[in-house]
C-alpha cells in the first residue's frame, strides 16, 4: 500500500476503507488507558484476540509508527497524513494499536543517532510489537539531576562491563531490552562522560525488583547491573556523547506525555465523562459548566500549540526546549481535568469498583504525569532559562 504518495483527501478515503475492514469493532471503545494499552513484546499477553489482530493489522502497514520511514517498516506518512490518521482513529473511537517506550522514545533517538545496523536490527521489531523496551535513566541520586548518573561502564576491549543501579524503571520486569545512560568516563565533566547504551534484559547479571506502591500494584522496578557484559556495538552514537541523545530522547518523551490532555491518549473525553458522572442536576450547575468550558478551551489551546510546534519541528530537530513548555502545560491541565471529573462524580467516583470504572485510578495516575520525564518545577526551570532567557 503506497499511502505516502497520496494527496490528503485520497489518503483519508483509502484509510477509512482500510479501517472499516481492519480495525475490529471491539477496539472501537476509545479506551487508551493504563489497563487497555497494548504494549507488545516477547512476553506480552494480549487481552483479547481483537487486541492482537488490531496490533498485527496496523503493524503490517506500518500504522503502529505512522511517521517512521517505510524502509524500516513504518508507514512513512507526512505530518498532514499523520494528523488525518489520528482524526480518523478518533472518528471511529479506535484505541491506539500499539504504544511503547520503543515507539515514543528509543525509535526517534535511533532514527536520529543510531547506525544503519542498529536501525535495521531494532526498529522493525519495535514496529511489529515484538520487542518491548524500558528506560534506564533515573538512579537513586539522579532524577531531576539526571546527568549525575553513576552506573559505570568499563571498557574491556571488545565489550563494556556494566555495574550499577537504576530506579523507577517502569515495566523493567516485563521488558526485553533497556536503553540506559551509563558513565564511560569518570574523570570527564558531568555531562561529557555519559554514553547511551542498549542492554538485553536477559544478559547475565541483569536483575529487577518490583517496587510495591501503597496501592498494592506498581509498574515501577529497581534494576541492577552486576558485571553485565555488553557488546561495544550496542553504544548508540559516540562514546561519551550520550548526553546529547539523552536530551533528544527526553524532548520526545515530554512531547508524548504532554499529549495526554488530548482525549485520544487519555481515553476520557471531559464532556462525555461529566455527562455520565455528574447527573442532570449537577450538569445544569453554571459553575461546573464554566469550569468544564475553561478546561476544554485550554485543552484546545494546548493541542493547537503542540501542533504548531510539531509543524515547526518538521525540519527534523524535534520540538527541542519547547517540549518542556508542552509537558508542563499538558500535564498540569490533565490534572485539572481529572480533578473536575472526580469532583463532579462526588464520593461515588472514588469507588474503584463502582459505576465509574477506573476513573479514580486514572485520576491518581494523572498526578504522576507531572513527575515522570522531569517534574513540573524542573520544566519551569528549563522554560525560564532556555526559552525566556532569564539568568540561571
Ligand atoms: C510514573 C512514573 C514513571 C517513571 N518511569 C521511569 C522510567 O521508566 N525510567 C526512568 O529512568 N525513570 C522513570 N521515572 C522517574 C522520573 O523520571 C523521576 O521521578 C523524575 O525525573 C524526578 O526525579 P526524582 O524522582 O529523583 O525527584 P527529585 O529530583 O529528587 O526531585 C524531588 C523534588 O525536588 C524538585 N526539584 C529537584 N530539582 C529541582 C530544581 N533544580 N529546581 C526546582 N525543583 C527541583 C522536584 O521538582 C521534586 O518536586 C518515572 C517516574 C514516574 C512518576
Amino acid at each position: 500500500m503506497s499511502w505516502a504518495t497520496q494527496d490528503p483527501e485520497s489518503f483519508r478515503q483509502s484509510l477509512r476503507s482500510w479501517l472499516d475492514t481492519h480495525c475490529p469493532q471491539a477496539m472501537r471503545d476509545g479506551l487508551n488507558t493504563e489497563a487497555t494499552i497494548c504494549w507488545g513484546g516477547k512476553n506480552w499477553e494480549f487481552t483479547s484476540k481483537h487486541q492482537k489482530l488490531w496490533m498485527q493489522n496496523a503493524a503490517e502497514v506500518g500504522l503502529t509508527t505512522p511517521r517512521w520511514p517505510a524502509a524500516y517498516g513504518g508507514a512513512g506518512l507526512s505530518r498532514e497524513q499523520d494528523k488525518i490518521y489520528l482524526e480518523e482513529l478518533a472518528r471511529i473511537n479506535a484505541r491506539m494499536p500499539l504504544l511503547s517506550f520503543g515507539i515514543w522514545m528509543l525509535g526517534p533517538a535511533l532514527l536520529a543517532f543510531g547506525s544503519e545496523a542498529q536501525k535495521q536490527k531494532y526498529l522493525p521489531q519495535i514496529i511489529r510489537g515484538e520487542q518491548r523496551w524500558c528506560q534506564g535513566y533515573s538512579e537513586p541520586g539522579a532524577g531531576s539531576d539526571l546527568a549525575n548518573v553513576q552506573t559505570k561502564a568499563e571498557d574491556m576491549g571488545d565489550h563494556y562491563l556494566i555495574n550499577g543501579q537504576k530506579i523507577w524503571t517502569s515495566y523493567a520486569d516485563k521488558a526485553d531490552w533497556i536503553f540506559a545512560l551509563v558513565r564511560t568516563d569518570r574523570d570527564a565533566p558531568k555531562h561529557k562522560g555519559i554514553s547511551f547504551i542498549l542492554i538485553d534484559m536477559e544478559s547475565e547479571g541483569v536483575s529487577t525488583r518490583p517496587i510495591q506502591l501503597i496501592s498494592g500494584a506498581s509498574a515501577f522496578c529497581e534494576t541492577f547491573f552486576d558485571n553485565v557484559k555488553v557488546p561495544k556495538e550496542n553504544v548508540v552514537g559516540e562514546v561519551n556523547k550520550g548526553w546529547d541523545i539523552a536530551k533528544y530522547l527526553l524532548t520526545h518523551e515530554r512531547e508524548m506525555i504532554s499529549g495526554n490532555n488530548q482525549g485520544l491518549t487519555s481515553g476520557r473525553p471531559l464532556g462525555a465523562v461529566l455527562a455520565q458522572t455528574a447527573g442532570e442536576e449537577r450538569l445544569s450547575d453554571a459553575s461546573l459548566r464554566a469550569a468544564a468550558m475553561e478546561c476544554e478551551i485550554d485543552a484546545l489551546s494546548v493541542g493547537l500549540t503542540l501542533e504548531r510546534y510539531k509543524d515547526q519541528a518538521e525540519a527534523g530537530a524535534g520540538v527541542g526546549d519547547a517540549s518542556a513548555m508542552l509537558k508542563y502545560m499538558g500535564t498540569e491541565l490533565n490534572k485539572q481535568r481529572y480533578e473536575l471529573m472526580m469532583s463532579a462524580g462526588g464520593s461515588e467516583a472514588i469507588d474503584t469498583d463502582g459505576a465509574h470504572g477506573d476513573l479514580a485510578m486514572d485520576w491518581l495516575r494523572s498526578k504522576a504525569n507531572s513527575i515522570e520525564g522531569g517534574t513540573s518545577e524542573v520544566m519551569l526551570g528549563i522554560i525560564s532559562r532556555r526559552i525566556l532567557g532569564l539568568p540561571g
Side-chain angles (χ1 to χ4, degrees):
M1 182 150 343
S2 59
W3 278 328
T5 52
Q6 288 181 353
D7 66 76
E9 205 34 51
S10 328
F11 170 66
R12 192 184 290 278
Q13 292 315 322
S14 72
L15 180 66
R16 273 188 189 183
S17 70
W18 184 87
L19 287 170
D20 275 349
T21 39
H22 292 90
C23 179
Q25 283 299 332
M27 293 292 102
R28 302 183 189 197
D29 56 9
L31 289 179
N32 289 296
T33 61
E34 198 86 347
T36 55
I37 285 177
C38 175
W39 290 107
K42 259 199 299 207
N43 304 314
W44 180 248
E45 285 174 25
F46 290 95
T47 53
S48 69
K49 63 177 194 246
H50 309 291
Q51 192 191 47
K52 182 174 184 181
L53 186 67
W54 179 214
M55 185 196 85
Q56 287 177 337
N57 284 346
E60 203 173 308
V61 292
L63 283 180
T64 49
T65 53
R67 300 236 39 217
W68 290 14
Y72 308 110
L77 301 188
S78 65
R79 244 311 272 130
E80 195 174 4
Q81 288 175 322
D82 186 33
K83 278 196 245 179
I84 293 173
Y85 169 60
L86 291 176
E87 283 166 15
E88 290 303 312
L89 285 188
R91 187 183 60 83
I92 61 167
N93 219 13
R95 295 187 196 183
M96 297 304 284
L98 175 72
L99 294 172
S100 73
F101 288 21
I103 293 176
W104 288 322
M105 302 177 211
L106 180 66
L110 280 183
L111 283 166
F113 294 93
S115 66
E116 189 51 36
Q118 287 169 337
K119 291 179 198 170
Q120 296 280 0
K121 180 170 174 187
Y122 300 110
L123 296 179
Q125 296 188 65
I126 294 172
I127 292 168
R128 293 193 300 262
E130 293 165 358
Q131 195 176 61
R132 185 167 177 180
W133 287 81
C134 62
Q135 179 185 32
Y137 271 32
S138 306
E139 296 183 4
S144 301
D145 186 14
L146 183 59
N148 194 32
V149 289
Q150 298 299 327
T151 294
K152 184 170 68 166
E154 277 175 274
D155 188 339
M156 305 302 280
D158 64 336
H159 66 271
Y160 283 102
L161 197 64
I162 310 225
N163 281 286
Q165 185 204 335
K166 299 286 171 180
I167 196 166
W168 313 126
T169 336
S170 302
Y171 306 108
D173 52 344
K174 300 189 171 59
D176 307 310
W177 282 72
I178 184 167
F179 51 90
L181 299 179
V182 291
R183 192 153 290 284
T184 31
D185 184 350
R186 299 191 86 72
D187 301 323
K190 197 161 148 182
H191 296 88
K192 301 254 161 85
I194 295 173
S195 299
F196 186 100
I197 199 163
L198 311 177
I199 307 171
D200 186 339
M201 293 295 277
E202 285 182 355
S203 314
E204 207 181 322
V206 179
S207 58
T208 61
R209 191 161 64 197
I211 302 172
Q212 284 269 309
L213 295 186
I214 198 166
S215 64
S218 161
F220 289 137
C221 291
E222 290 177 290
T223 306
F224 302 93
F225 302 97
D226 183 13
N227 284 328
V228 180
K229 277 181 168 184
V230 180
K232 282 196 149 169
E233 74 227 27
N234 288 19
V235 169
V236 179
E238 279 181 58
V239 176
N240 293 330
K241 294 217 173 137
W243 185 244
D244 293 339
I245 306 175
K247 281 192 302 180
Y248 181 82
L249 184 144
L250 276 175
T251 64
H252 282 271
E253 181 180 3
R254 289 170 183 163
E255 181 195 316
M256 175 278 291
I257 297 172
S258 75
N260 273 344
N261 65 60
Q262 289 186 319
L264 188 66
T265 45
S266 79
R268 290 199 183 268
L270 183 59
V273 175
L274 291 187
Q276 197 203 346
T277 54
E280 251 176 57
E281 201 183 316
R282 279 230 64 205
L283 265 188
S284 58
D285 178 306
S287 62
L288 177 73
R289 298 174 81 90
M293 289 285 285
E294 208 173 307
C295 261
E296 285 305 72
I297 289 168
D298 286 348
L300 277 172
S301 313
V302 173
L304 286 172
T305 309
L306 179 65
E307 289 303 318
R308 186 158 50 84
Y309 277 108
K310 281 191 186 169
D311 281 339
Q312 283 174 12
E314 211 25 27
V319 295
D321 291 338
S323 64
M325 200 167 73
L326 296 168
K327 181 179 188 279
Y328 176 77
M329 294 190 305
T331 57
E332 291 299 327
L333 178 63
N334 202 35
K335 286 198 291 191
Q336 276 176 33
R337 297 174 82 240
Y338 272 99
E339 293 295 335
L340 195 59
M341 291 180 210
M342 289 300 289
S343 69
S347 52
E348 260 181 46
I350 295 185
D351 180 1
T352 49
D353 299 322
H356 305 312
D358 291 333
L359 178 59
M361 295 312 279
D362 290 345
W363 163 61
L364 290 172
R365 182 64 181 79
S366 72
K367 295 176 185 300
N369 291 152
S370 54
I371 301 173
E372 63 195 322
T375 63
S376 280
E377 293 80 8
V378 168
M379 294 307 105
L380 288 174
I382 295 175
I383 294 165
S384 69
R385 279 192 313 277
R386 298 206 212 127
I387 298 179
L388 299 178
L390 295 172

